[in-house]
């Protein structure tokens, strides 16, 4: 892909790119078109040295779609579509510290999430990403065929039940259970990307809790295998944050994991989430 406006530097062979030459607070249409293309090409894109007010951060998100109001996690008082992801020097548990895609338990999981680094430790607190297209494409044909006929059950319960929240208090964030904490939603294992038509393995360790029609004893080993397969090192990239860095990832085909390796230091990010669509499986596409 040739970019006229952007300087695009891939981060790993699997995914991810750092983008130079962009002021996200002042984005003309031609540059935005290339940002969108880079997002499609690289699945997670990172911008350095951005200077954005909350309004500008929201405006950048809105260029990709409507903004989501996060369940369970309270947004900023004046900007409910922005959640502040904070770990203080005294907190032990971080937010998002395991492989997952954001809110996959929703009927329409987010299209993508934007994270803006306001305060980061001198070292540590990187975020890892994994490319679920590669995870799908490297499965055997037998496994692909089996998964194509299966439906996964997703739920927020492991993270957002009252018990789970109480066991992992984060002083700096307001996280509360509600009547949907134990809810479940079904999604295809094999998801067809709405923009590209490319298939991916749509599961994650936190929110995928079972296989429809299978017992827990049957589901567990399959999900364990797929969870480990999905994050093989060769499918991943790792973003190192600096203050004022912004990253945007495609939550439909990417897993991420916020590393918790900066004990005694504060990290403060702002997140905006873009509304997505109902995940479609291979058979949905055949019908369409
Ligand atoms: Fe996350």
């Amino acid at each position: 892909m040739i970019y006229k406006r952007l300087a695009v530097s891939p981060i790993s062979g699997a995914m991810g790119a750092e983008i130079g030459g962009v002021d996200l607070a002042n984005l003309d249409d031609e540059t935005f078109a290339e940002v969108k293309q880079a997002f499609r090409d690289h699945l997670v894109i990172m911008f350095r040295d951005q200077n954005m007010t909350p309004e500008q951060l929201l405006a950048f998100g809105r260029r990709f779609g409507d903004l989501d109001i996060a369940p369970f996690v309270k947004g900023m008082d004046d900007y409910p579509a922005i959640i502040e992801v904070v770990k203080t020097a005294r907190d032990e548990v971080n937010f998002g510290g395991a492989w997952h895609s954001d809110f996959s338990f929703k009927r329409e999981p987010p299209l993508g999430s934007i994270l803006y680094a306001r305060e980061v430790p001198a070292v540590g607190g990187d975020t890892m990403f994994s490319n679920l297209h590669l995870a799908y494409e490297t499965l055997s044909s037998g496994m692909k065929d089996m998964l194509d006929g299966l439906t996964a059950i997703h739920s927020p319960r492991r993270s957002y039940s009252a018990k789970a929240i109480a066991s992992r208090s984060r002083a700096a964030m307001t996280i509360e259970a509600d009547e949907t904490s134990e809810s479940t939603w079904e999604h295809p294992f094999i998801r067809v990307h709405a923009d590209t038509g490319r298939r991916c393995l749509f599961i994650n360790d936190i929110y995928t809790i079972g296989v429809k029609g299978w017992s827990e004893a049957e589901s567990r080993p399959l999900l364990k295998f797929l969870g480990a397969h999905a994050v093989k090192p060769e499918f991943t990239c790792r973003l190192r944050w600096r203050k004022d860095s912004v990253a945007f990832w495609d939550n439909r085909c990417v897993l991420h994991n916020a590393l918790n390796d900066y004990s005694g230091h504060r990290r403060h990010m702002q997140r905006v989430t873009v509304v997505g669509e109902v995940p479609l499986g291979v058979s949905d596409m055949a019908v369409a």
Side-chain angles (χ1 to χ4, degrees), residues 95-98 100-103 113 115 207 249 251 256-258 271:
F95 183 76
H100 66 286
S101 59
D102 289 333
F103 303 151
S113 298
L115 210 51
Y207 301 131
W249 63 87
N251 195 59
H256 60 285
N257 185 349
R271 191 177 101 187

Side-chain angles (χ1 to χ4, degrees), residues 7 33 57 83-84 97 101 105 107 135 137 143 162 214 231 240 275:
L57 181 61
I83 61 172
E84 300 212 83
S101 59
F105 50 81
R107 177 174 180 271
E137 288 158 9
M143 178 61 84
W214 288 26
V231 298
R240 183 163 190 183
V275 169

Side-chain angles (χ1 to χ4, degrees), residues 219-238:
S219 297
R220 205 180 307 120
L222 177 65
L223 293 177
K224 191 174 173 197
F225 163 74
L226 293 174
H229 171 77
V231 298
K232 280 186 171 172
E234 59 268 37
F235 306 154
T236 69
C237 75
R238 177 168 176 151

Side-chain angles (χ1 to χ4, degrees), residues 163-262:
K163 194 174 159 192
I165 291 170
S167 71
R168 291 178 287 117
S169 70
R170 304 174 186 88
M173 296 179 68
T174 303
I175 302 176
E176 288 173 352
D178 67 21
E179 68 283 357
T180 67
S181 290
E182 302 281 345
S183 63
T184 59
W185 203 269
E186 296 173 2
H187 293 308
F189 270 87
I190 309 303
R191 180 174 187 173
V192 181
H193 196 287
D195 294 344
T196 63
R198 196 174 168 193
R199 296 176 185 187
C200 71
L201 176 64
F202 189 64
I203 52 97
N204 65 86
D205 282 343
I206 299 185
Y207 301 131
T208 312
I209 61 165
V211 182
K212 186 180 181 184
W214 288 26
S215 70
E216 196 185 334
E218 291 165 340
S219 297
R220 205 180 307 120
L222 177 65
L223 293 177
K224 191 174 173 197
F225 163 74
L226 293 174
H229 171 77
V231 298
K232 280 186 171 172
E234 59 268 37
F235 306 154
T236 69
C237 75
R238 177 168 176 151
L239 296 190
R240 183 163 190 183
W241 297 95
R242 297 198 297 258
K243 182 180 180 307
D244 298 329
S245 298
V246 174
F248 179 40
W249 63 87
D250 191 331
N251 195 59
R252 298 167 292 185
C253 57
V254 163
L255 296 182
H256 60 285
N257 185 349
L259 301 185
N260 188 10
D261 59 352
Y262 51 101

